[in-house]
Amino acid sequence: MTAFTEKLDKAAGAALCEGLTVAGQSLIGAGAVSLVFGGAGVVPISLGAAALMTSAAGCNWDPEAPGPDPSGPPISYCAIAESPTYIVTISNGIETNVTASVDVITKFEFTRRETDPIGTFRDVYDFRGTTPEGAAYRTELILALGLDNTAEFVQRFEGDPTCKVPDTPGGTDPDIPPTTYTDPEDGCTLIVNWKGLSTDEQGHVSPVFKIEAGPEVLRAEGGGVIGGCNFEPVIYTGNPGGPGEPPFVGPWDPTWDGDEENPWAEFLREIAAGVLGAGLANALSDLFDAPYSGATYRLVSVCETDSSGEPISQAVEEVIPDLPINDAILTRLDALVPLLQGQKDFKQPICEPPAPEGDFRTISFRSEQVSPGGKSCLRKRLRYRSISGIGLDGLIDHWKDFVFSAGPVIVQHRGATWGTVKCWASSIDEGKRVIRHAAAEAGIDADQTGRWQISGSSSTRLGMSGTMKIDITGGYYWITERDGSDNRPIVGKT
C-alpha cells in the first residue's frame, strides 16, 4: 500500500502537470499570493518563475497555448466610485440595468459560471459586491447575444463618476478544474482542487491545492476509520521555505471554502515566517520539559477489623513526585498495579450494616381530607431510632406543627444506625424533607451517613395523595417514644 504522504505527492504532481496543460499562456501574469510579510498581497507570475516551477515538477508546459477562457467579464470597471454605480448590458443599442442601482463600496467580483450550451446568450457570471451598510449583494449577469451577435457590459454612475479605486477585467487567473487521481497500487481515489498559487522571497512559485478523498470512498465508508483512502481534506503546497524542502501538508480549514479570495494566504505566510512551526516546537519543548505536579493516590479499606472485631483502617498508598510529563505518565501507569491489587486484597464487596442505636420514635400522621380512594382519612406512620434523648415533650415540640404532602413516591434512607426509614411522599424532594426532619431530631446527617433509595408503586390503591398533619385524634398527639410493645405507650395531650 502506498504511504499516505507519497500518495499526496503523486496526486499533487499529477494535478500540477494537468493544470499547466490547461493554463497555457494564461499562467503568465496570473496572480500569485506573496508569502512575504509586509509585501504585496498578490504579484504577477513571470515567464521565468512559471518555467522554473514546470521544470522542478517534471511537467510539460506550452507558454503559447491559448489556455482557458477568462473567468470574468470583458470589462474594465471602477471598484469604488464617488457615487452609486451599477452595471448594464448593451445589446442592439438597448441598455438593461442588471444590478438594480446598488451603491457598491467594496471591490466588484465577477466570476464566470457557465457558457450557454444552446447559444441564446454568451456567458453567465456571478456578480458580488457590498452595500454601504455592509450587506452582501449578489446577482446574476447574463451577457446576451444581439441580432448582430454582439453584446457588452458597461458601467454607469448615478452621480460623480470619479473613480477612487479602479480595477481591471476579471479572469486573468486560469480556471483550472479539479483533478481526479487514482493510486495505481491500492486504487484509492483523491480529488485535487487547484486553489491558487503562492510565491516566496526568492520568487519561487508553488501551487496551492486542497486534496480530499474521492466521493465514492466517503459513501462506502460513511466517514468511518481515517486511513489512506478515507481522510479529512488537507492543504498541500510546495514548502514555503523554498526548493529542496519537503512539501507542506496541513489540515484544511473548512472556513476557507467560503467566498473569500485566497483565505489560506495568512496561514501560509505564518508558516513561511516560521511563526507556527517555531512556536509549536517551543510550546511542545516547554510542555515536555516542564515538571508535572506530583500526586498521592491512596486506597483506604472500610471493612477491615482486628482480632476483636473492631474496625481498623488499612491503606495502599502510591506517591508520585514532580516529574516531566512522560515520566509522570509512566509512573502513574505503574501505580495502577498496587492500587488494583489493594482492591482485591481488601474485603469485598460490602461491609456489615451498622448496629442499631437509639430509642424508637413513632410519628403518626392523618390527612386533612378524606382519602380520594375511600371514605376515611389517610394515615401514615414514620418510625426511626434516635440518640438525641430529648424526651417526649421535646419530641412533640419537634413534630407537632410538621406538615407534608403524601403521594406515590417511596423515599427510604438505609445503612445508618437509626434503621431503615421510609416515607410515601408526593415527590423525591418532599420525601427527603420528611426524613431529614426526622434525622435532625435523631442526631443523624442523612446526606453524609447511609444512603438514599427511591422507588414507587404503579398500583392505584397505593400512594394516595393528601396533606398530612400530626394525628391528634382523641385530644392526644400520636407521637411516642419507647422500645418494645409492652403496655400502652405514653402520649402527650394537645
Side-chain angles (χ1 to χ4, degrees), residues 137-405:
Y137 176 81
R138 178 177 179 179
T139 189
E140 179 182 77
L141 302 183
I142 299 177
L143 190 57
L145 291 174
L147 296 177
D148 56 358
N149 210 35
T150 61
E152 60 179 333
F153 287 126
V154 176
Q155 186 173 20
R156 299 294 191 212
F157 302 90
E158 291 187 351
D160 186 351
T162 302
C163 185
K164 295 188 292 185
V165 180
D167 209 331
T168 55
T172 57
D173 293 345
D175 186 10
I176 309 297
T179 297
T180 299
Y181 172 80
T182 301
D183 188 87
E185 293 188 19
D186 55 22
C188 290
T189 300
L190 284 71
I191 306 299
V192 186
N193 303 274
W194 185 295
K195 291 297 181 179
L197 297 160
S198 67
T199 181
D200 59 17
E201 291 183 345
Q202 290 76 37
H204 302 116
V205 176
S206 298
V208 178
F209 296 124
K210 173 189 177 183
I211 304 181
E212 54 192 332
E216 72 281 357
V217 173
L218 297 180
R219 285 196 299 270
E221 298 185 17
V225 177
I226 303 299
C229 286
N230 184 23
F231 59 93
E232 293 298 309
V234 298
I235 181 173
Y236 181 106
T237 184
N239 193 292
E245 299 292 333
F248 172 78
V249 179
W252 180 265
D253 188 335
T255 62
W256 294 341
D257 290 322
D259 294 333
E260 183 181 354
E261 187 176 2
N262 304 325
W264 37 262
E266 193 62 29
F267 175 76
L268 292 185
R269 288 193 184 102
E270 291 178 349
I271 294 293
V275 174
L276 291 181
L280 181 60
N282 292 336
L284 289 174
S285 177
D286 293 342
L287 175 64
F288 286 112
D289 292 341
Y292 195 78
S293 299
T296 298
Y297 297 114
R298 183 178 176 84
L299 181 67
V300 181
S301 70
V302 292
C303 298
E304 312 305 305
T305 58
D306 60 17
S307 58
S308 62
E310 292 297 318
I312 59 174
S313 177
Q314 295 183 352
V316 175
E317 185 174 278
E318 290 293 316
V319 178
I320 312 296
D322 293 352
L323 293 169
I325 187 168
N326 285 336
D327 293 335
I329 293 172
L330 292 174
T331 306
R332 281 163 169 76
L333 291 174
D334 291 340
L336 291 175
V337 175
L339 293 172
L340 291 172
Q341 185 61 45
Q343 288 184 319
K344 299 293 291 183
D345 293 340
F346 293 151
K347 289 184 178 179
Q348 304 288 333
I350 58 175
C351 305
E352 295 294 328
E357 185 177 359
D359 302 322
F360 270 118
R361 309 297 203 205
T362 302
I363 317 298
S364 298
F365 295 89
R366 180 187 175 99
S367 65
E368 290 183 324
Q369 300 86 17
V370 174
S371 168
K375 299 180 180 181
S376 302
C377 293
L378 291 174
R379 295 179 184 274
K380 303 289 182 182
R381 189 170 66 174
L382 186 73
R383 204 155 190 258
Y384 62 92
R385 290 179 180 270
S386 171
I387 59 174
S388 66
I390 62 174
L392 181 59
D393 291 341
L395 181 64
I396 291 173
D397 288 339
H398 183 78
W399 281 104
K400 66 180 181 179
D401 298 321
F402 188 81
V403 180
F404 78 96
S405 177

